[in-house]
Amino acid sequence: MSTHLRIVRGDATPEEIAALVAVLATRETDRPRPAVRKTETWRNPARSMRKPLAPGKAAWRISALP
């Protein structure tokens, strides 16, 4: 069995070695990340909802428009 981690100098406690292994295991690697999918808006139900009405001149006319 080959060791990938070797303590060269000093006297590390098992807790220190475990902390070092945890940090090295969680660091980022050079592996490519999966692509983030863009959300599709054409099937979003919020798209068909009416926009908030703004009071003002001709607001009654604008309220009928999508």
Side-chain angles (χ1 to χ4, degrees):
M1 182 169 131
S2 69
T3 48
H4 297 285
L5 180 66
R6 192 174 88 192
I7 307 297
V8 178
R9 191 183 322 174
D11 187 22
T13 64
E15 292 84 12
E16 292 172 336
I17 295 173
L20 178 63
V21 169
V23 168
L24 292 176
T26 59
R27 71 180 186 151
E28 293 189 28
T29 60
D30 292 335
R31 285 181 277 157
R33 293 184 180 181
V36 177
R37 292 185 59 191
K38 182 180 175 186
T39 58
E40 299 175 4
T41 58
W42 66 271
R43 62 179 177 183
N44 187 355
R47 184 175 161 229
S48 63
M49 292 182 177
R50 186 172 77 179
K51 307 268 189 291
L53 299 177
K57 187 175 180 180
W60 62 272
R61 188 177 303 147
I62 296 172
S63 67
L65 298 176

